[in-house]
Amino acid sequence: MNFTDQEINEIKDHGLTPKQVESQIDLFVNGVPNVKLVAPATTSDGIFKLTEADELKFLDFYEDKKSELDLLKFTPASGAASRMFKKIYQFLEDYDVSKETIAEYLERTGDKHMKVFFTDYEKFPFYNHIIDGFDEETKADENAKKYAFIKTMMSEDGESYGNLPKGLIPFHYYGSYMVTAFEEHLHEAAAYAAKSDKANLHFTVSPEHKEAFAKEFKKIHASVSNTTGVNFDVDYSFQKPETDTVAVTMDNKLYRKGDGSLLFRPGGHGALIENLNDVDADVVFIKNIDNVLVQDQIQNLARSKRILAGLLLEKQAQVFKYAELLEKDTISEGELEELLTFLEEDFSTRIDSGYVDFSVEEKKSYFAELLNRPIRVCGMVKNEGEPGGGPFWVEDESGKVALQIIESAQVNTKDTKQGEIFKNSTHFNPVDIVAGVRNYKGEKYNLLDYVNPDLAFIAYKTDGGNEIKALELPGLWNGAMARWNTLFVEVPLETFNPVKTVNDLLKPSHQAKA
């Protein structure tokens, strides 16, 4: 493809190369291949359901090893809260305070979301904080109070919650004070990712929000440390501009903004594999910013996390033993057969059908390639109808079948068989990952070597009223980790407590005991 000099300069100024942009355009032109689902992963095929004895064993293993390890809690927190308040914005656009009451609006529109919002709005963690600023006349008029509440919540001269990052929205109220999702992650880290009274946390944030996170941390650090007995080392990173992708028109031509310049868009959470690649620890706990529990429930979550970490460490120790034997070429034929059983039974690995005909040297080479990868243990919850991805057996372009986390956008659901497999998924991906990113020598893997670039997404967006196509990089826990060794484990549903819309804060699981 021939770019103009101006285009080449814009591409390079953004940290990209013309070749990278050309490959992005190729994906728009040729389409992103759908994944080929083989079957849903289930507790009888691909998802481990641990016994109580297993859980106690892995808990003990983690506690025994923890003092020797570098631990890190990694939290994607870049997202703005605008989507969380999408229905609220719609209400403010549709409601005319001069012509109808809120009750009349709800009757006219049948808006179920806003009916729930106004029925229980006194349960929001920020309710008292907002109404404390109202005069007595507003407080006495229920319609005026509700409208003032929502205006204060959203307006730029009020709380402006829709413009904040999700991590800085108050999620819980403890009788006299509000706690943000960010603060709850500190309490979590103290409960399962601390060592020697110290916990390390890394948040990926938007550049414009870093100062606000740092300010919030300064405000709460002493209090949370006093409560938990843990000191916190918190750092931040930004999604890299060079992971952005170009936007194109509906006929796959480079899209230009009103000023004539190219439009570059963030590459989605898959871009964060770069950020994850820049941190280093023996055990990395990965969890989304909006998935937090109230503090009297954190110990249940912490137990589950420690179990997953112990499982990772135990399996990793066995992987390291075999990897060292293979590298030093001291592995016996008997140990090769042990390794085959270990991979099949402990990692649900589908062994190459031609393995029986491999020579001993071919077996060693084959196993060395299989073992020399980062490891992730992924908690999975029973599917309760939440939107999002799940665990599946997937066949790749070379015919190899492996466990993957797949989103609906990656599946051709118009294909009856593929649609049926996706619909029959028994479990949901809550993004509850414990990762091992070092090899047996303690060397950090280059995580970019284990990305499947074909597992990108094409999204349809608008810019200034114009329809455009945008490219999202392979998702962080989808294509960006496609070539990791993967273990799926069922975890308790109560450890999954996300906030996708503001009304989720009204659920009993987000109502803290005063």
Side-chain angles (χ1 to χ4, degrees), residues 249-250 255-258 461-469:
T249 62
M250 298 307 283
Y255 176 78
R256 298 184 181 284
K257 296 184 285 187
K461 305 284 185 180
T462 59
D463 180 74
N466 300 310
E467 289 189 332
I468 59 171
K469 290 186 195 177

Side-chain angles (χ1 to χ4, degrees), residues 18-86:
K19 187 176 180 182
Q20 285 173 309
V21 172
E22 193 169 340
S23 67
Q24 290 173 13
I25 293 170
D26 284 343
L27 281 173
F28 285 121
V29 172
N30 299 317
V32 174
N34 293 117
V35 297
K36 185 178 179 183
L37 302 180
V38 175
T42 64
T43 49
S44 57
D45 185 22
I47 300 176
F48 291 100
K49 191 173 174 66
L50 303 179
T51 65
E52 191 173 341
D54 289 332
E55 291 178 350
L56 292 172
K57 178 178 71 169
F58 296 135
L59 275 170
D60 288 345
F61 200 86
Y62 177 59
E63 295 305 321
D64 288 347
K65 297 290 182 185
K66 190 170 68 169
S67 62
E68 310 161 18
L69 302 171
D70 296 328
L71 307 175
L72 177 69
K73 183 167 161 54
F74 181 94
T75 305
S78 313
S82 50
R83 277 190 294 181
M84 181 175 161
F85 294 97
K86 184 179 177 183

Side-chain angles (χ1 to χ4, degrees), residues 16 74 86 98 250 262 332 421 423 438 488 508:
L16 292 159
F74 181 94
K86 184 179 177 183
S98 66
M250 298 307 283
L262 299 177
S332 67
I421 294 171
K423 193 174 73 174
R438 293 176 177 171
F488 291 149

Side-chain angles (χ1 to χ4, degrees), residues 287-305:
K287 188 165 181 272
N288 279 339
I289 190 72
D290 68 347
N291 180 17
V292 289
L293 297 175
V294 291
Q295 287 163 28
D296 64 358
Q297 294 299 312
I298 281 180
Q299 288 309 319
N300 296 334
L301 170 69
R303 184 179 190 275
S304 177
K305 284 288 198 180

Side-chain angles (χ1 to χ4, degrees), residues 13 54 58 144 154 158 161 168 179 186 192 196 241 248 259 263 284 322 324 348 378 388-389 483 505:
D13 286 347
D54 289 332
F58 296 135
M154 303 306 293
Y161 284 153
L168 296 182
V179 170
L186 299 185
Y192 61 75
S196 304
V248 297
D259 62 3
L263 175 62
V284 184
Y322 289 118
E324 185 172 7
S348 303
C378 307
R483 292 171 180 148
L505 293 174

Side-chain angles (χ1 to χ4, degrees), residues 6-22:
Q6 181 189 339
E7 288 169 346
I8 289 171
N9 288 335
E10 284 187 68
I11 290 165
K12 288 182 175 177
D13 286 347
H14 214 78
L16 292 159
T17 66
K19 187 176 180 182
Q20 285 173 309
V21 172
E22 193 169 340

Side-chain angles (χ1 to χ4, degrees), residues 384-397:
E384 298 274 313
E386 289 278 352
F392 292 89
W393 289 101
V394 178
E395 184 179 317
D396 69 13
E397 62 283 353

